[in-house]
Amino acid sequence: NAGVTQTPKFQVLKTGQSMTLQCAQDMNHNSMYWYRQDPGMGLRLIYYSASEGTTDKGEVPNGYNVSRLNKREFSLRLESAAPSQTSVYFCAHAPGSKTEAFFGQGTRLTVV
Amino acid sequence: QKEVEQDPGPLSVPEGAIVSLNCTYSNSAFQYFMWYRQYSRKGPELLMYTYSSGNKEDGRFTAQVDKSSKYISLFIRDSQPSDSATYLCAMTGSSNTGKLIFGQGTTLQVKP
């Protein structure tokens, strides 16, 4: 699992509901990332955290918030889910700069 | 126009064929280039990581980067049915190499 655990694996939400996607890595890496993958769009960066205590916006941050709870955990929150947020969400981590990123297995989210 | 363009395919080849997968990009600042393999309903798995121009070989896989043409390639020799997957190119100009711009992905099917 590339040293990263995502929960839940599947989720169906109604429009307007909130939820938090959890990500935990066990490799003591500094950097963590949230991506979404949509058909025909590749993966797009939502938010990232270069180190514990810091977070920054990526390409598509609107409608999301994140928390870097500690070095291991990086959560993604949808405050009011919309159908446009139906996607597969991937958490990734990397040791530091100039190093490759390792991806989790994904959370499949459907908003109806 | 997308920063990274990748033909989505699908690409179907017979077992044992040489496969060529390609991406073009528009941002001359990109200097870290990666290829990920993604099996159906799984997370992306890093195959190759290249810095700047040149070739890199790992077993049956060879990655090439031509920065002057803004063009990268992945070659798979002696392709196997187990190579059937979606191949994603990804790149960044940042030393924070988890902040990636992805291509759409090319779906490859290797027929026995």
mmCIF file of all heavy atoms in Angstrom, chain B residues 79-104:
data_model
loop_
_atom_site.group_PDB
_atom_site.id
_atom_site.type_symbol
_atom_site.label_atom_id
_atom_site.label_comp_id
_atom_site.label_asym_id
_atom_site.label_seq_id
_atom_site.Cartn_x
_atom_site.Cartn_y
_atom_site.Cartn_z
ATOM 1 N N SER B 79 6.558 -6.620 -24.152
ATOM 2 C CA SER B 79 5.374 -6.338 -23.344
ATOM 3 C C SER B 79 4.638 -7.626 -22.958
ATOM 4 O O SER B 79 4.608 -8.600 -23.724
ATOM 5 C CB SER B 79 4.431 -5.386 -24.091
ATOM 6 O OG SER B 79 4.079 -5.925 -25.348
ATOM 7 N N GLN B 80 4.076 -7.608 -21.767
ATOM 8 C CA GLN B 80 3.390 -8.762 -21.191
ATOM 9 C C GLN B 80 1.930 -8.393 -20.878
ATOM 10 O O GLN B 80 1.624 -7.212 -20.634
ATOM 11 C CB GLN B 80 4.090 -9.173 -19.906
ATOM 12 C CG GLN B 80 5.550 -9.528 -20.076
ATOM 13 C CD GLN B 80 5.740 -10.754 -20.950
ATOM 14 O OE1 GLN B 80 5.123 -11.792 -20.718
ATOM 15 N NE2 GLN B 80 6.588 -10.635 -21.961
ATOM 16 N N PRO B 81 1.054 -9.390 -20.837
ATOM 17 C CA PRO B 81 -0.338 -9.082 -20.446
ATOM 18 C C PRO B 81 -0.432 -8.365 -19.104
ATOM 19 O O PRO B 81 -1.328 -7.544 -18.898
ATOM 20 C CB PRO B 81 -0.994 -10.469 -20.404
ATOM 21 C CG PRO B 81 -0.227 -11.264 -21.412
ATOM 22 C CD PRO B 81 1.198 -10.784 -21.295
ATOM 23 N N SER B 82 0.513 -8.639 -18.210
ATOM 24 C CA SER B 82 0.509 -7.972 -16.901
ATOM 25 C C SER B 82 0.847 -6.484 -17.002
ATOM 26 O O SER B 82 0.684 -5.746 -16.030
ATOM 27 C CB SER B 82 1.504 -8.648 -15.956
ATOM 28 O OG SER B 82 2.801 -8.619 -16.502
ATOM 29 N N ASP B 83 1.321 -6.045 -18.169
ATOM 30 C CA ASP B 83 1.577 -4.610 -18.377
ATOM 31 C C ASP B 83 0.291 -3.851 -18.715
ATOM 32 O O ASP B 83 0.307 -2.623 -18.831
ATOM 33 C CB ASP B 83 2.577 -4.391 -19.515
ATOM 34 C CG ASP B 83 3.963 -4.935 -19.187
ATOM 35 O OD1 ASP B 83 4.354 -4.893 -17.994
ATOM 36 O OD2 ASP B 83 4.642 -5.394 -20.123
ATOM 37 N N SER B 84 -0.784 -4.552 -18.913
ATOM 38 C CA SER B 84 -2.074 -3.911 -19.237
ATOM 39 C C SER B 84 -2.507 -3.043 -18.067
ATOM 40 O O SER B 84 -2.748 -3.539 -16.953
ATOM 41 C CB SER B 84 -3.137 -4.966 -19.546
ATOM 42 O OG SER B 84 -2.784 -5.742 -20.669
ATOM 43 N N ALA B 85 -2.578 -1.759 -18.320
ATOM 44 C CA ALA B 85 -2.855 -0.777 -17.258
ATOM 45 C C ALA B 85 -2.970 0.596 -17.911
ATOM 46 O O ALA B 85 -2.828 0.728 -19.123
ATOM 47 C CB ALA B 85 -1.727 -0.768 -16.224
ATOM 48 N N THR B 86 -3.210 1.599 -17.088
ATOM 49 C CA THR B 86 -3.147 2.982 -17.548
ATOM 50 C C THR B 86 -1.811 3.576 -17.122
ATOM 51 O O THR B 86 -1.407 3.419 -15.973
ATOM 52 C CB THR B 86 -4.306 3.805 -16.960
ATOM 53 O OG1 THR B 86 -5.544 3.278 -17.442
ATOM 54 C CG2 THR B 86 -4.187 5.279 -17.370
ATOM 55 N N TYR B 87 -1.149 4.233 -18.065
ATOM 56 C CA TYR B 87 0.163 4.818 -17.807
ATOM 57 C C TYR B 87 0.028 6.343 -17.791
ATOM 58 O O TYR B 87 -0.460 6.942 -18.752
ATOM 59 C CB TYR B 87 1.166 4.368 -18.869
ATOM 60 C CG TYR B 87 1.498 2.904 -18.697
ATOM 61 C CD1 TYR B 87 0.640 1.923 -19.179
ATOM 62 C CD2 TYR B 87 2.641 2.498 -18.006
ATOM 63 C CE1 TYR B 87 0.910 0.573 -18.996
ATOM 64 C CE2 TYR B 87 2.917 1.162 -17.817
ATOM 65 C CZ TYR B 87 2.043 0.207 -18.310
ATOM 66 O OH TYR B 87 2.304 -1.131 -18.113
ATOM 67 N N LEU B 88 0.451 6.928 -16.700
ATOM 68 C CA LEU B 88 0.307 8.362 -16.482
ATOM 69 C C LEU B 88 1.678 9.007 -16.479
ATOM 70 O O LEU B 88 2.565 8.591 -15.730
ATOM 71 C CB LEU B 88 -0.357 8.629 -15.129
ATOM 72 C CG LEU B 88 -1.772 8.091 -14.936
ATOM 73 C CD1 LEU B 88 -2.023 7.774 -13.475
ATOM 74 C CD2 LEU B 88 -2.791 9.109 -15.414
ATOM 75 N N CYS B 89 1.854 10.034 -17.301
ATOM 76 C CA CYS B 89 3.054 10.848 -17.168
ATOM 77 C C CYS B 89 2.754 11.964 -16.176
ATOM 78 O O CYS B 89 1.602 12.400 -16.037
ATOM 79 C CB CYS B 89 3.507 11.398 -18.506
ATOM 80 S SG CYS B 89 2.364 12.550 -19.301
ATOM 81 N N ALA B 90 3.793 12.401 -15.481
ATOM 82 C CA ALA B 90 3.636 13.470 -14.497
ATOM 83 C C ALA B 90 4.928 14.264 -14.452
ATOM 84 O O ALA B 90 6.010 13.716 -14.670
ATOM 85 C CB ALA B 90 3.294 12.896 -13.124
ATOM 86 N N MET B 91 4.825 15.531 -14.164
ATOM 87 C CA MET B 91 6.017 16.360 -14.182
ATOM 88 C C MET B 91 5.835 17.585 -13.306
ATOM 89 O O MET B 91 4.692 17.958 -12.958
ATOM 90 C CB MET B 91 6.378 16.756 -15.614
ATOM 91 C CG MET B 91 5.264 17.379 -16.386
ATOM 92 S SD MET B 91 5.615 17.356 -18.181
ATOM 93 C CE MET B 91 5.253 15.665 -18.627
ATOM 94 N N THR B 92 6.948 18.226 -12.967
ATOM 95 C CA THR B 92 6.914 19.430 -12.158
ATOM 96 C C THR B 92 8.203 20.209 -12.339
ATOM 97 O O THR B 92 9.236 19.630 -12.674
ATOM 98 C CB THR B 92 6.681 19.105 -10.674
ATOM 99 O OG1 THR B 92 6.658 20.325 -9.925
ATOM 100 C CG2 THR B 92 7.791 18.231 -10.117
ATOM 101 N N GLY B 93 8.122 21.506 -12.111
ATOM 102 C CA GLY B 93 9.323 22.337 -12.112
ATOM 103 C C GLY B 93 9.773 22.636 -10.697
ATOM 104 O O GLY B 93 10.822 23.223 -10.482
ATOM 105 N N SER B 94 8.973 22.205 -9.740
ATOM 106 C CA SER B 94 9.246 22.504 -8.338
ATOM 107 C C SER B 94 10.100 21.408 -7.719
ATOM 108 O O SER B 94 9.950 20.230 -8.052
ATOM 109 C CB SER B 94 7.927 22.615 -7.586
ATOM 110 O OG SER B 94 8.133 22.648 -6.188
ATOM 111 N N SER B 95 10.975 21.801 -6.786
ATOM 112 C CA SER B 95 11.719 20.782 -6.057
ATOM 113 C C SER B 95 10.802 20.012 -5.119
ATOM 114 O O SER B 95 11.152 18.943 -4.629
ATOM 115 C CB SER B 95 12.859 21.418 -5.258
ATOM 116 O OG SER B 95 12.337 22.358 -4.337
ATOM 117 N N ASN B 96 9.612 20.566 -4.871
ATOM 118 C CA ASN B 96 8.573 19.814 -4.157
ATOM 119 C C ASN B 96 7.935 18.881 -5.170
ATOM 120 O O ASN B 96 6.927 19.196 -5.814
ATOM 121 C CB ASN B 96 7.537 20.759 -3.559
ATOM 122 C CG ASN B 96 6.510 20.030 -2.704
ATOM 123 O OD1 ASN B 96 6.288 18.835 -2.870
ATOM 124 N ND2 ASN B 96 5.873 20.735 -1.791
ATOM 125 N N THR B 97 8.545 17.728 -5.347
ATOM 126 C CA THR B 97 8.210 16.881 -6.491
ATOM 127 C C THR B 97 6.959 16.044 -6.273
ATOM 128 O O THR B 97 6.661 15.166 -7.071
ATOM 129 C CB THR B 97 9.399 15.980 -6.842
ATOM 130 O OG1 THR B 97 9.941 15.451 -5.637
ATOM 131 C CG2 THR B 97 10.465 16.752 -7.586
ATOM 132 N N GLY B 98 6.225 16.308 -5.212
ATOM 133 C CA GLY B 98 4.903 15.721 -5.096
ATOM 134 C C GLY B 98 3.848 16.625 -5.686
ATOM 135 O O GLY B 98 2.703 16.207 -5.899
ATOM 136 N N LYS B 99 4.221 17.855 -6.025
ATOM 137 C CA LYS B 99 3.300 18.801 -6.664
ATOM 138 C C LYS B 99 3.366 18.578 -8.166
ATOM 139 O O LYS B 99 4.076 19.261 -8.886
ATOM 140 C CB LYS B 99 3.705 20.240 -6.341
ATOM 141 C CG LYS B 99 3.486 20.664 -4.917
ATOM 142 C CD LYS B 99 3.983 22.087 -4.697
ATOM 143 C CE LYS B 99 3.309 23.081 -5.619
ATOM 144 N NZ LYS B 99 3.844 24.450 -5.424
ATOM 145 N N LEU B 100 2.621 17.615 -8.627
ATOM 146 C CA LEU B 100 2.754 17.138 -9.985
ATOM 147 C C LEU B 100 1.616 17.610 -10.879
ATOM 148 O O LEU B 100 0.478 17.766 -10.436
ATOM 149 C CB LEU B 100 2.783 15.605 -9.994
ATOM 150 C CG LEU B 100 4.000 14.968 -9.305
ATOM 151 C CD1 LEU B 100 3.737 13.499 -9.038
ATOM 152 C CD2 LEU B 100 5.249 15.169 -10.140
ATOM 153 N N ILE B 101 1.970 17.803 -12.156
ATOM 154 C CA ILE B 101 0.984 17.998 -13.208
ATOM 155 C C ILE B 101 0.945 16.700 -14.006
ATOM 156 O O ILE B 101 1.981 16.257 -14.517
ATOM 157 C CB ILE B 101 1.348 19.170 -14.126
ATOM 158 C CG1 ILE B 101 1.562 20.450 -13.312
ATOM 159 C CG2 ILE B 101 0.258 19.367 -15.182
ATOM 160 C CD1 ILE B 101 0.338 20.955 -12.584
ATOM 161 N N PHE B 102 -0.223 16.112 -14.085
ATOM 162 C CA PHE B 102 -0.384 14.819 -14.736
ATOM 163 C C PHE B 102 -0.964 14.951 -16.132
ATOM 164 O O PHE B 102 -1.773 15.843 -16.411
ATOM 165 C CB PHE B 102 -1.340 13.931 -13.921
ATOM 166 C CG PHE B 102 -0.719 13.256 -12.744
ATOM 167 C CD1 PHE B 102 -0.608 13.915 -11.539
ATOM 168 C CD2 PHE B 102 -0.254 11.953 -12.840
ATOM 169 C CE1 PHE B 102 -0.033 13.294 -10.436
ATOM 170 C CE2 PHE B 102 0.311 11.314 -11.747
ATOM 171 C CZ PHE B 102 0.426 11.998 -10.544
ATOM 172 N N GLY B 103 -0.574 14.024 -17.005
ATOM 173 C CA GLY B 103 -1.300 13.819 -18.249
ATOM 174 C C GLY B 103 -2.569 13.032 -17.966
ATOM 175 O O GLY B 103 -2.806 12.574 -16.851
ATOM 176 N N GLN B 104 -3.395 12.885 -18.995
ATOM 177 C CA GLN B 104 -4.676 12.175 -18.841
ATOM 178 C C GLN B 104 -4.487 10.702 -18.571
ATOM 179 O O GLN B 104 -5.364 10.056 -18.013
ATOM 180 C CB GLN B 104 -5.486 12.306 -20.120
ATOM 181 C CG GLN B 104 -5.976 13.680 -20.456
ATOM 182 C CD GLN B 104 -6.674 13.645 -21.811
ATOM 183 O OE1 GLN B 104 -6.053 13.784 -22.858
ATOM 184 N NE2 GLN B 104 -7.969 13.421 -21.791
#
